[in-house]
Amino acid sequence: MKYCSTRNSKLDKSFDQIIIEGLSSDGGLFMPKKWPLINTNEIFNNKNITYPELASIILKEFVGDTISKNDLEKITQETYQVFTNDKVAPLIKISDNKFILELFHGPTFAFKDYPLQLLGNLFQYYLKNKNKNITIIGATSGDTGSAAIDACKDKDNINIFILHPKDKTSEIQRKQMTTIRTNNVFNIAIDGTFDDCQNIVKSLLVSKDLKKITELSAVNSINWARIASQSVYFFWSYIQSAQYDKKVNFIVPTGNFGNVYAAHISGLMGLPINKLYVATNSNDIMHRTISNGDMSLKDVKSTISPSMDIQISSNFERQLFESLDYDSDKLTTLMENFRKNRSYNLKGKILDNLKLFYKSKGINDKLTSQTIKKFYDDFKYISDPHTATSLNILDELNNDDINIALACAHPAKFPDSIKDSINILPDQPKKLKDLLALEEKYRDLNNDVNVVKNYIIDNIKKL
Ligand SMILES: *Cc1c(COP(=O)(O)O)cnc(C)c1O
């Protein structure tokens, strides 16, 4: 399997190169040069298949010959052992054809654990073999940071710097990051939004000054390894529903467009998907884009689902590249126009192509909160506010397909919003309760690439 960039379709890189580089030096995102077809008969007929086994079958297609089948099986076994549910990602039945896929049974209680625990182990595998060290730089709207830090905190050959928008994550989300005290972990609070953090990270990843002193890598969903490993749970949920004569719809709470794009590639690899529903909060650029082509940036609003408070959905570039028939020149022109005008109007063939795969809805805080209450009243199901955006759509659907809404975070990560909606506090797992007493450590920095760059240069540990 070889990879190109959305900004240069002639590149020809292998998985071990693109997982470490994270972002292509031309500013584009890595993409596989062809879509592997998964032998769905085989995995659907295997009644005893486990999550780690499924993960190694799917990921083998993407890692190619950079990891042997045996080693990959070992890595996925080890990775998913730390998850606390025996199904790893259990499918909860709400009615005959409506389900919730719970993706919060990992160490930091959000779906990012599923790709990032694996990424940490893959990094370690490749670095050990090459005898190298790397510095990971990431931006977080709340959940990526803690999941990445947990996955890397004990790895010898990794330094990790995580930027979060100051005061814009929940208190628990922040404490999950800032109370980890191993000496390879650095938290930075940026005086700005998630998009500001993500822009700084994208500049740093291609910075020559930094590259002179360290190898750099990314843990945001701009890293293809994340998208590839997230595709596993879409297959997994369909296997758990065990209704192979039916098509499936997924409803995905969306910010950076990573999770819903992972759903989409599962379809390209053979999962019988009918439609993907993109659920946004009031930061609804993806809803406007898909419903009428209006890809225009607005100011980021703070909502009760902070991990979706994003305007520039990086992974949408991958979808656009695909919709433009993998023409990197056309994509580069489009992205330059978008960047310059902060707006782009999609029409004609591209918009038709998007509508083939996606539907969308924007769900504001009031509706989100009403949905938390409705699912508690109707099913005694307590959902976090991100999950509630997808449940709002799940509730409305009326079809003969299988419908699966993604539960992306544990409700206990957002106790205040739950209390406001149903007037009770969700049960707090012990690990989250214990956080409150721990001491925090992070650095406040201005929204300025050079300031952050200098901080990293001053603090990189010689590993
Ligand atoms: C990251 C995150 C999202 C958004 O996912 P994307 O892949 O960025 O679209 C939604 N909900 C939760 C809880 C998250 O942590």
Side-chain angles (χ1 to χ4, degrees):
M1 175 63 83
K2 292 288 183 189
Y3 295 83
C4 67
S5 152
T6 52
R7 313 267 175 112
N8 178 5
S9 54
K10 295 200 180 65
L11 272 189
D12 206 32
K13 300 217 167 197
S14 58
F15 190 83
D16 56 334
Q17 291 176 301
I18 65 147
I19 187 177
I20 303 284
E21 285 176 44
L23 184 70
S24 183
S25 57
D26 50 38
L29 279 69
F30 292 116
M31 284 283 272
K33 289 192 142 179
K34 62 175 198 302
W35 298 108
L37 265 189
I38 303 295
N39 185 340
T40 47
N41 272 338
E42 193 176 303
I43 59 173
F44 296 165
N45 287 329
N46 178 352
K47 296 250 172 329
N48 300 319
I49 194 163
T50 64
Y51 192 96
E53 282 163 7
L54 180 66
S56 68
I57 291 171
I58 293 175
L59 289 163
K60 184 73 182 109
E61 301 288 339
F62 290 104
V63 303
D65 55 12
T66 66
I67 310 183
S68 72
K69 184 162 174 284
N70 248 335
D71 284 352
L72 187 60
E73 279 168 3
K74 264 191 238 148
I75 292 172
T76 58
Q77 288 292 350
E78 192 186 318
T79 298
Y80 293 105
Q81 237 166 41
V82 304
F83 288 65
T84 53
N85 186 286
D86 60 359
K87 289 257 185 293
V88 181
L91 191 69
I92 311 295
K93 189 168 184 167
I94 291 291
S95 70
D96 278 350
N97 69 344
K98 295 190 179 179
F99 300 85
I100 300 173
L101 175 63
E102 288 187 351
L103 298 170
F104 51 71
H105 297 283
T108 70
F109 307 97
F111 83 80
K112 271 81 168 193
D113 285 324
Y114 293 74
L116 284 169
Q117 287 291 320
L118 183 75
L119 220 68
N121 289 331
L122 289 174
F123 277 138
Q124 197 173 37
Y125 178 87
Y126 288 123
L127 293 171
K128 273 216 173 103
N129 282 359
K130 295 195 168 120
N131 205 6
K132 263 190 190 166
N133 298 323
I134 52 168
T135 301
I136 288 172
I137 308 177
T140 187
S141 53
D143 292 324
T144 292
S146 54
I149 288 170
D150 189 276
C152 297
K153 63 182 193 286
D154 301 316
K155 305 268 188 284
D156 323 324
N157 25 21
I158 299 178
N159 274 305
I160 178 164
F161 292 80
I162 295 292
L163 284 62
H164 70 265
K166 188 170 175 62
D167 297 332
K168 294 194 171 68
T169 67
S170 84
E171 185 188 359
I172 291 175
Q173 285 179 316
R174 187 188 70 242
K175 286 193 169 161
Q176 282 184 299
M177 301 188 275
T178 56
T179 56
I180 303 278
R181 304 302 292 270
T182 56
N183 69 0
N184 63 337
V185 171
F186 301 89
N187 280 288
I188 301 170
I190 293 289
D191 186 13
T193 65
F194 170 76
D195 289 319
D196 295 327
C197 296
Q198 183 161 253
N199 283 335
I200 292 175
V201 167
K202 282 185 177 171
S203 312
L204 294 174
L205 286 174
V206 293
S207 151
K208 296 209 172 67
D209 296 341
L210 282 178
K211 284 186 167 182
K212 253 187 265 165
I213 56 171
T214 179
E215 188 106 31
L216 295 171
S217 190
V219 285
N220 285 99
S221 48
I222 52 178
N223 194 316
W224 178 256
R226 265 193 60 173
I227 306 298
S229 54
Q230 287 170 220
S231 71
V232 175
Y233 47 68
F234 293 98
F235 283 91
W236 181 242
S237 62
Y238 186 68
I239 290 173
Q240 285 181 81
S241 83
Q243 300 178 54
Y244 298 130
D245 53 332
K246 293 196 172 178
K247 289 205 160 192
V248 56
N249 303 306
F250 290 103
I251 312 159
V252 186
T254 294
N256 223 355
F257 209 78
N259 220 4
V260 73
Y261 195 65
H264 174 65
I265 70 161
S266 309
L268 299 179
M269 291 191 284
L271 189 63
I273 295 175
N274 187 7
K275 275 281 189 288
L276 297 174
Y277 290 82
V278 173
T280 73
N281 61 23
S282 307
N283 298 290
D284 62 352
I285 181 168
M286 278 298 109
H287 168 50
R288 287 182 281 114
T289 302
I290 289 163
S291 54
N292 62 23
D294 169 20
M295 193 164 92
S296 59
L297 290 175
K298 301 198 169 149
D299 288 339
V300 181
K301 292 187 205 109
S302 289
T303 72
I304 59 172
S305 43
S307 301
M308 295 157 67
D309 291 348
I310 293 175
Q311 287 288 326
I312 304 174
S313 301
S314 291
N315 281 285
F316 192 59
E317 176 164 341
R318 292 192 156 111
Q319 180 57 60
L320 286 172
F321 181 57
E322 188 196 317
S323 298
L324 288 166
D325 293 327
Y326 308 96
D327 184 328
S328 52
D329 293 337
K330 278 192 191 151
L331 187 272
T332 305
T333 310
L334 190 160
M335 292 308 291
E336 274 166 7
N337 277 324
F338 174 56
R339 175 164 285 261
K340 202 167 65 212
N341 304 323
R342 300 178 57 80
S343 172
Y344 193 92
N345 205 356
L346 298 174
K347 28 184 191 284
K349 214 179 124 217
I350 301 192
L351 191 56
D352 292 344
N353 184 265
L354 289 176
K355 286 185 192 273
L356 212 56
F357 301 113
Y358 302 98
K359 288 184 188 252
S360 65
K361 181 177 177 187
I363 292 104
N364 63 23
D365 279 356
K366 189 163 164 234
L367 260 184
T368 304
S369 186
Q370 284 169 356
T371 307
I372 294 175
K373 181 160 184 345
K374 182 160 201 303
F375 273 73
Y376 184 65
D377 290 345
D378 292 358
F379 309 106
K380 285 285 164 286
Y381 191 86
I382 300 184
S383 74
D384 98 282
H386 305 79
T387 303
T389 64
S390 68
L391 296 183
N392 179 274
I393 298 177
L394 181 73
D395 191 46
E396 284 174 350
L397 290 182
N398 183 6
N399 59 42
D400 294 327
D401 300 334
I402 296 166
N403 299 289
I404 300 178
L406 268 58
C408 291
H410 194 294
K413 287 188 101 166
F414 307 92
D416 298 343
S417 307
I418 307 294
K419 182 100 192 341
D420 289 346
S421 308
I422 55 178
N423 209 22
I424 56 170
L425 281 171
D427 285 339
Q428 203 84 349
K430 179 169 183 314
K431 200 168 166 189
L432 291 182
K433 246 186 251 161
D434 291 349
L435 278 181
L436 298 175
L438 299 178
E439 198 194 328
E440 291 187 75
K441 189 178 155 218
Y442 63 92
R443 179 64 175 264
D444 287 302
L445 292 180
N446 288 341
N447 175 14
D448 179 328
V449 185
N450 286 315
V451 170
V452 179
K453 186 165 75 185
N454 290 332
Y455 176 79
I456 294 175
I457 291 173
D458 290 344
N459 284 280
I460 279 184
K461 293 268 176 319
K462 296 273 172 297
L463 294 169

